Amino acid sequence: MKKLRRSKRNRMIGGVMGGIAEYFNIDVTIVRLIYALLIIPTGLFPLIFAYIIALFIIPEEQKGDII
């Protein structure tokens, strides 16, 4: 079973967007673009806050994890 993990390969800050992209098997650029576009209508704070929470909640990818 696939598990959501923060990516070590597709990371810019904490690997949250890379992990989401790997989980849904889509390009990480698309996930980052959607995130950036959602910041505009929602305001900066809610999505930044959600990212920080995800950074602490989603475990980091380990060496033995299967993609």
Side-chain angles (χ1 to χ4, degrees), residues 13-33:
I13 299 174
V16 174
M17 297 297 141
I20 292 170
E22 289 174 4
Y23 183 78
F24 289 109
N25 198 27
I26 56 176
D27 186 25
V28 69
T29 306
I30 294 171
V31 174
R32 289 180 182 140
L33 183 61

Side-chain angles (χ1 to χ4, degrees), residues 1-2 14 17 25 27 30 36 38-39 50 56 58 60 66:
M1 186 166 106
K2 222 168 160 182
M17 297 297 141
N25 198 27
D27 186 25
I30 294 171
L38 284 174
I39 284 180
F56 289 106
I58 300 172
E60 191 169 50
I66 299 172

Side-chain angles (χ1 to χ4, degrees), residues 6-60:
R6 290 186 291 126
S7 177
K8 284 188 175 183
R9 293 177 301 282
N10 292 319
R11 87 179 334 167
M12 289 187 88
I13 299 174
V16 174
M17 297 297 141
I20 292 170
E22 289 174 4
Y23 183 78
F24 289 109
N25 198 27
I26 56 176
D27 186 25
V28 69
T29 306
I30 294 171
V31 174
R32 289 180 182 140
L33 183 61
I34 291 170
Y35 182 80
L37 290 174
L38 284 174
I39 284 180
I40 296 167
T42 62
L44 190 63
F45 180 73
L47 288 178
I48 298 292
F49 186 66
Y51 186 91
I52 292 169
I53 290 173
L55 190 62
F56 289 106
I57 292 176
I58 300 172
E60 191 169 50

